[in-house]
Amino acid sequence: MEHVEENGRAASPVVLASLGTAGVFEALTLLATQDKTVRAASPWQDDPYDVVVSLTQFTVPMLALVIALRLLAWRAPGGADRARQTVRAVGAMTALVGLTVVSEWAAVIAGTSAPVPGTWTSVLISGLVASSILTAVSAVLLVRWRRRWGPSGRWRYDWLGDAVFVCRRIPVLRRCAGPDAAAWARRRAMTVFVTLSTLAAAAVTIAQAVGERWTDPLLIAWFLIVVATSDLAFCVISNAVAGFIARPPRTRTRRIAEVSVVAGCVAISAATAFRDALWPLFGTGPLTSVPAMAALTLGAGLVTSVVTAALLLACLPRDPSSSGRRRFGAAALYWRRPGTHR
């Protein structure tokens, strides 16, 4: 018990410092993307830099929110697992912030000039310096915590169990949040991820279409697919890192299908970010046609999914008792229901 409490106390400064870093980062990112005057002065408003910023301006606050909410169950049973999982989620959040900071510095170093340079450009670069320092501090704290406590062991608890723990203490949510609902979500985790990703993408797409006054149905549909696939990749990968939902064992075929889909989703985001650089390999002239852009980006995702599936079919053992996790990496990790070992 003393070890669990000490583990939680050691994790608290890491979690709080990273949440503070995420808060500063998000405030500066929203300023640079949502205010038209400031955005016009941003050195990283164009792709591929803007794709990274667009992804993290939504995923970082999502991670920060679930991390902050988990603090409500900080003293519930399973403190050791909770501390390790939360710090792993903090690590994922800090990595996303770091990726964005590196992308923004790349835009500055590359000499990408803003159409309307001025005072706001200097303000944004000053904010980038502050974000870089805070991110470095958070990363150092994470490394020190990991060295102290070592690699994670076998999970016996997950975030979904903590959500049920909290909801059971709220009269309005008590009836709909119970062990049966948690078990359903664990069995159908991929369905949950697809649903959440689609709903989030729909909200972002509607806001973008209204704000930019889009009228082309194909452009709107393409944007919806790009955002939904990036959100789905984020959900699955972050779940593999932090164990938000404990997943039961899956068949070889299902594991291959899921990893192939996630690889395709990542490829779509990458192709979207570097579409102008990739287009000369397949076409001529500037990439201005929506059908051509959709074919390039979604085609890249489809090809990546097929290639990934073929490679995994050839490499992943057919014997269910084989060590799939050793061959498959983080994407093959699974967690059983709380109270059992992996």
Side-chain angles (χ1 to χ4, degrees):
M1 184 64 181
E2 291 179 358
H3 173 72
V4 172
E5 292 179 355
E6 184 181 359
N7 199 340
R9 287 196 299 269
S12 296
V14 179
V15 174
L16 295 177
S18 297
L19 286 176
T21 299
V24 173
F25 166 81
E26 186 64 17
L28 293 171
T29 301
L30 290 177
L31 175 65
T33 57
Q34 302 305 311
D35 187 284
K36 292 184 177 181
T37 302
V38 180
R39 181 175 175 80
S42 173
W44 46 82
Q45 62 178 284
D46 297 323
D47 292 332
Y49 318 107
D50 186 58
V51 169
V52 179
V53 176
S54 298
L55 172 66
T56 54
Q57 74 172 333
F58 295 107
T59 55
V60 168
M62 287 170 60
L63 280 174
L65 177 61
V66 296
I67 291 170
L69 289 177
R70 203 179 198 198
L71 297 179
L72 298 175
W74 197 249
R75 297 187 179 277
D81 281 357
R82 183 173 300 104
R84 292 179 184 275
Q85 290 170 349
T86 305
V87 171
R88 287 172 69 115
V90 164
M93 180 178 68
T94 303
L96 287 172
V97 174
L99 175 64
T100 308
V101 167
V102 170
S103 175
E104 292 173 348
W105 276 120
V108 174
I109 295 173
T112 304
S113 58
V116 189
T119 304
W120 279 116
T121 304
S122 301
V123 171
L124 291 177
I125 294 178
S126 299
L128 177 57
V129 173
S131 294
S132 302
I133 295 173
L134 292 175
T135 304
V137 172
S138 297
V140 170
L141 291 175
L142 283 166
V143 171
R144 291 181 61 184
W145 189 91
R146 183 170 179 81
R147 286 179 178 176
R148 180 176 179 180
W149 294 106
S152 60
R154 297 180 176 181
W155 306 134
R156 298 182 64 236
Y157 299 86
D158 64 358
W159 300 62
L160 186 59
D162 282 357
V164 172
F165 175 84
V166 173
C167 291
R168 295 287 289 177
R169 283 152 178 77
I170 302 175
V172 178
L173 302 176
R174 187 174 299 163
R175 292 185 178 181
C176 59
D180 292 339
W184 183 92
R186 292 187 180 103
R187 290 194 306 270
R188 297 169 175 81
M190 199 65 178
T191 301
V192 173
F193 295 148
V194 171
T195 301
L196 293 177
S197 300
T198 304
L199 291 176
V204 173
T205 302
I206 292 173
Q208 184 74 9
V210 172
E212 299 295 332
R213 298 181 180 179
W214 289 348
T215 57
D216 187 345
L218 181 58
L219 175 61
I220 296 173
W222 170 79
F223 187 83
L224 174 64
I225 294 172
V226 170
V227 177
T229 51
S230 64
D231 288 348
L232 179 60
F234 163 73
C235 288
V236 176
I237 295 173
S238 62
N239 188 69
V241 172
F244 295 112
I245 298 178
R247 305 191 65 183
R250 288 156 288 161
T251 64
R252 172 178 179 268
T253 301
R254 183 167 181 176
R255 296 199 308 270
I256 290 175
E258 289 183 2
V259 173
S260 300
V261 168
V262 172
C265 292
V266 174
I268 290 174
S269 296
T272 301
F274 295 98
R275 60 186 183 274
D276 291 333
L278 292 173
W279 178 245
L281 300 176
F282 305 96
T284 57
L287 181 59
T288 57
S289 169
V290 175
M293 182 170 58
L296 174 66
T297 54
L298 302 185
L302 179 60
V303 170
T304 301
S305 293
V306 172
V307 172
T308 302
L311 291 175
L312 291 176
L313 284 170
C315 298
L316 193 66
R318 290 182 177 275
D319 184 4
S321 62
S322 299
S323 178
R325 288 188 297 172
R326 183 177 67 254
R327 294 284 192 91
F328 214 63
L333 291 176
Y334 61 82
W335 295 267
R336 293 181 180 171
R337 295 182 64 178
T340 62
H341 292 286
R342 277 195 301 187

